[in-house]
Amino acid sequence: MRTNIDVDGFNLYYGALKGTPYRWLNIATLCALLLPNHQIHRIRYFTARIQSTPTDPSKAQRQQTYLRALRTIPHLTIHYGHYLARQARMPLVNPPKNGPRVVEVWRVEEKGSDVNLATYLLLDGFQQDYEQAVIISNDSDLVEPIRVVRKHLGLSVGVFNPHRKTISRALQQVASFYRPIREGVLRASQFPPVLQDAHGMITKPRGW
């Protein structure tokens, strides 16, 4: 079955990869292991360019290295939303008796990836680019586009949930199937420590 994969990059990272040794993830290998009997026609990876912070000055560079590694996958394209990081003053839920009631924090927002993913899910469906779509995300904002594709186009849309402890009942009800991503599959889906593209060597970021 000709299958397109739509990956919510931030949802995957924060659900399954952050703080693990699996961040150097080869999405193509992951998809092949998750769907061994499918013809992976296209992979769309949705993300946003992040910004470094004073506490993590190499953060953006690590992401750029990873995106460069992803671009070595022939049938994968990257689609960008917007990443906003700004300082904001926020009240504490349980402030100490003799301490501050308001603290200054980094407020981080990622805009556009869910809308972009939904747009391409629908566009590719209308253009008959796939027989089945699979989404890697646990974002319940995707319920309606999944419902539309299934009801009005008659196409299957499955979901792989990257979050170990959180289940979206809304996605579970509307998707053709709803499955977790196991740790063993992530472990088996890593890029080699060093790979190459047309510009030279790509080295796995230190600490990953």
Side-chain angles (χ1 to χ4, degrees):
M1 181 178 290
R2 190 172 72 253
T3 302
N4 281 9
I5 314 291
D6 294 326
V7 183
D8 182 340
F10 278 87
N11 203 278
L12 172 61
Y13 178 79
Y14 286 106
L17 303 177
K18 184 179 179 182
T20 76
Y22 311 130
R23 285 169 284 181
W24 196 230
L25 184 68
N26 185 327
I27 299 292
T29 303
L30 176 70
C31 294
L33 292 175
L34 291 174
L35 298 161
N37 299 317
H38 293 245
Q39 175 197 349
I40 307 301
H41 173 61
R42 186 190 307 280
I43 302 172
R44 297 190 187 274
Y45 184 84
F46 299 88
T47 188
R49 297 184 188 275
I50 63 174
Q51 302 169 19
S52 295
T53 64
T55 58
D56 192 354
S58 63
K59 186 177 182 179
Q61 183 58 49
R62 293 196 303 272
Q63 186 201 38
Q64 290 309 307
T65 300
Y66 180 61
L67 294 177
R68 186 179 162 195
L70 287 181
R71 290 190 191 99
T72 66
I73 300 171
H75 52 294
L76 183 146
T77 54
I78 300 174
H79 306 265
Y80 293 100
H82 301 283
Y83 179 87
L84 304 174
R86 60 186 177 86
Q87 291 176 288
R89 294 179 62 81
M90 304 287 288
L92 289 168
V93 175
N94 295 303
K97 290 182 179 179
N98 299 318
R101 305 186 70 83
V102 177
V103 295
E104 194 167 18
V105 299
W106 282 105
R107 186 165 184 174
V108 177
E109 297 177 279
E110 188 274 324
K111 299 287 189 181
S113 286
D114 53 350
V115 174
N116 291 344
L117 193 159
T119 299
Y120 278 101
L121 176 69
L122 291 164
L123 177 63
D124 290 342
F126 279 115
Q127 293 184 338
Q128 299 181 340
D129 193 59
Y130 59 79
E131 296 173 288
Q132 180 181 61
V134 173
I135 295 170
I136 298 179
S137 182
N138 199 41
D139 188 345
S140 60
D141 287 344
L142 299 171
V143 164
E144 188 62 11
I146 292 173
R147 187 193 68 79
V148 168
V149 169
R150 293 197 64 199
K151 180 177 179 180
H152 296 281
L153 301 181
L155 296 170
S156 171
V157 183
V159 173
F160 280 101
N161 175 19
H163 291 255
R164 297 183 184 91
K165 298 181 180 179
T166 305
I167 294 174
S168 170
R169 300 297 180 189
L171 283 174
Q172 198 173 43
Q173 290 174 3
V174 75
S176 303
F177 65 80
Y178 181 89
R179 301 170 187 164
I181 298 177
R182 306 292 185 186
E183 182 178 355
V185 177
L186 298 173
R187 185 186 304 114
S189 302
Q190 300 298 297
F191 282 116
V194 178
L195 58 158
Q196 190 167 2
D197 63 7
H199 303 287
M201 308 301 289
I202 308 170
T203 304
K204 178 180 178 179
R206 184 177 299 178
W208 278 27

